[in-house]
């Protein structure tokens, strides 16, 4: 348990968004995917995940980078319309209505609350993704449910100290999810297998270097110099500890940063691709669509819809 205390102490948690959503149509979203972690609590209505019904008050946690097929019911007693992740993200306003009245949180028919956040070890490694934890349902945790409600309330009210309170409560949220996993002995094999590399300082040096140099040369030769191992060995060393090869990890980090830039800047897609290490814009766009299921331009449009 001490090892997990050290990991949690090194965890950087960042609030991304909070939403109170009313379901407008009964839909099944196939292979929903996002780069950040999301925790949803069902306030009213019916939601299905992996053919399991989520009860009112239960939560669904989807780690960043993991696919999930979820059915949302608007109470119209019709067969769900099956939509792709791309269609959902680009036409979100047809399926979900985002509400901003703090007094109505948890009181609207066919609604749920959602908080999205990043959680990175040493500000470099996506914690839940790196442990290969799949999406899962959280039951009987009133503390987590209360935290989601409090974050929604703070986000909807322009009160002094709002950002600070949200930051503190989002950190609590991430820690409580970890505690739930440990307390209920979930994903024991993944935790035992994949948490060990957090203890290797050479690997942490590689993670930190990649984070700081996404637009530069991140060849195995460069990474070998960072970790002070041979170029022939660095790929094997990285994969042995993380389960993936370094170039796949680098591409995910570059694409994650590209999403952040699409969401927070007005830079052109060409400029964003170059900033995260892709000199060929067409290749960057192909890889982006392959990873996220939608073109980079639609990802940017999708962000304008998140406030609907």
């Amino acid at each position: 348990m001490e090892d997990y205390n050290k990991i949690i102490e090194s965890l950087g948690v960042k609030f991304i968004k909070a939403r109170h959503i009313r379901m407008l149509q009964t839909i099944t979203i196939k292979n929903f995917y996002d780069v950040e972690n999301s925790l949803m609590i069902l306030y009213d209505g019916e939601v299905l995940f992996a053919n399991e019904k989520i009860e009112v008050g239960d939560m669904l946690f989807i780690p960043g980078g993991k696919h999930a097929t979820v059915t949302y019911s608007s109470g119209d007693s019709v067969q769900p319309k099956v939509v792709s992740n791309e269609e959902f993200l680009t036409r979100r306003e047809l399926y979900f209505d985002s509400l901003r009245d703090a007094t109505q949180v948890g009181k609207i028919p066919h609604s749920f609350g959602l908080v999205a956040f990043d959680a990175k070890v040493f500000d470099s490694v996506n914690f839940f993704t790196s442990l290969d934890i799949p999406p899962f349902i959280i039951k009987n945790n009133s503390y987590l449910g209360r935290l989601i409600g409090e974050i929604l309330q703070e986000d909807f009210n322009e009160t002094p100290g709002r950002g600070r309170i949200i930051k503190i409560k989002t950190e609590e949220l991430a820690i409580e999810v970890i505690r739930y996993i440990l307390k209920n002995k979930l994903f024991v094999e993944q935790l035992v297998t994949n948490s060990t590399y957090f203890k290797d300082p050479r690997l942490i040096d590689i993670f930190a270097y990649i984070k700081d140099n996404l637009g530069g040369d991140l060849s195995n030769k460069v990474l070998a110099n960072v970790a002070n191992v041979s170029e022939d060995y660095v790929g094997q060393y990285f994969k042995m500890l993380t389960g993936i090869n370094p170039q796949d990890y680098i591409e995910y980090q570059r694409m994650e940063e590209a999403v952040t830039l699409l969401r927070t800047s007005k830079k052109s897609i060409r400029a964003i691709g170059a900033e995260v290490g892709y000199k060929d814009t067409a290749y960057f766009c192909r890889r982006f669509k392959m990873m996220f299921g939608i073109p980079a331009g639609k990802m940017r449009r999708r962000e304008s819809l998140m406030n609907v």
Side-chain angles (χ1 to χ4, degrees), residues 83-307:
V83 300
S84 66
N85 190 47
E86 178 177 356
E87 180 180 352
F88 169 70
L89 294 179
T90 55
R91 306 182 70 193
R92 180 187 178 93
E93 72 277 14
L94 298 180
Y95 309 118
F96 286 171
D97 182 19
S98 188
L99 312 169
R100 297 290 300 179
D101 186 345
T103 66
Q104 295 300 303
V105 172
K107 300 177 182 178
I108 301 296
H110 312 296
S111 69
F112 62 88
L114 179 141
V115 174
F117 63 95
D118 282 337
K120 294 185 177 181
V121 180
F122 303 109
D123 200 30
S124 302
V125 189
N126 289 291
F127 177 75
F128 297 103
T129 306
S130 65
L131 295 180
D132 197 29
I133 291 174
F136 65 95
I137 295 172
I138 297 176
K139 295 181 175 293
N140 303 316
N141 194 307
S142 58
Y143 177 64
L144 258 179
R146 187 171 68 253
L147 276 175
I148 295 174
E150 291 172 352
I151 291 170
L152 287 167
Q153 294 281 346
E154 286 290 338
D155 192 49
F156 296 164
N157 289 316
E158 297 293 331
T159 52
R162 164 181 169 270
R164 184 70 179 272
I165 293 295
I166 289 175
K167 180 179 185 297
I168 292 170
K169 291 186 180 297
T170 304
E171 288 180 344
E172 287 188 62
L173 194 79
I175 293 169
E176 187 62 26
V177 172
I178 296 170
R179 286 177 172 177
Y180 183 88
I181 291 170
L182 296 175
K183 179 181 178 181
N184 292 277
K185 296 180 171 58
L186 302 177
F187 321 118
V188 174
E189 185 176 341
Q190 289 99 316
L191 291 174
V192 170
T193 303
N194 297 325
S195 65
T196 55
Y197 66 76
F198 291 128
K199 307 167 193 174
D200 191 311
R202 294 176 300 174
L203 192 62
I204 298 306
D205 287 345
I206 291 178
F207 287 142
Y209 186 85
I210 290 170
K211 176 180 179 292
D212 292 338
N213 296 276
L214 286 175
D217 182 3
L218 292 174
S219 63
N220 280 5
K221 180 178 181 179
V222 171
L223 299 183
N225 288 333
V226 172
N228 197 26
V229 299
S230 72
E231 182 180 352
D232 292 337
Y233 177 64
V234 69
Q236 177 185 344
Y237 160 76
F238 191 97
K239 187 169 184 177
M240 177 177 64
L241 293 179
T242 67
I244 60 174
N245 70 60
Q247 295 309 314
D248 286 344
Y249 173 80
I250 289 165
E251 179 168 55
Y252 180 82
Q253 295 303 310
R254 282 174 162 160
M255 290 301 180
E256 186 182 53
E257 178 63 15
V259 170
T260 299
L261 291 170
L262 285 165
R263 290 173 169 173
T264 60
S265 79
K266 295 182 179 180
K267 296 178 181 179
S268 68
I269 291 174
R270 178 186 295 274
I272 289 173
E275 187 167 334
V276 299
Y278 291 87
K279 296 179 180 178
D280 184 334
T281 304
Y283 179 71
F284 164 69
C285 290
R286 287 198 301 273
R287 296 301 299 170
F288 190 98
K289 189 174 190 300
M290 185 174 294
M291 181 168 289
F292 297 113
I294 62 173
K298 286 190 176 181
M299 175 67 79
R300 172 165 276 165
R301 178 176 179 269
R302 170 239 178 155
E303 287 309 304
S304 69
L305 298 174
M306 294 303 288
N307 295 319

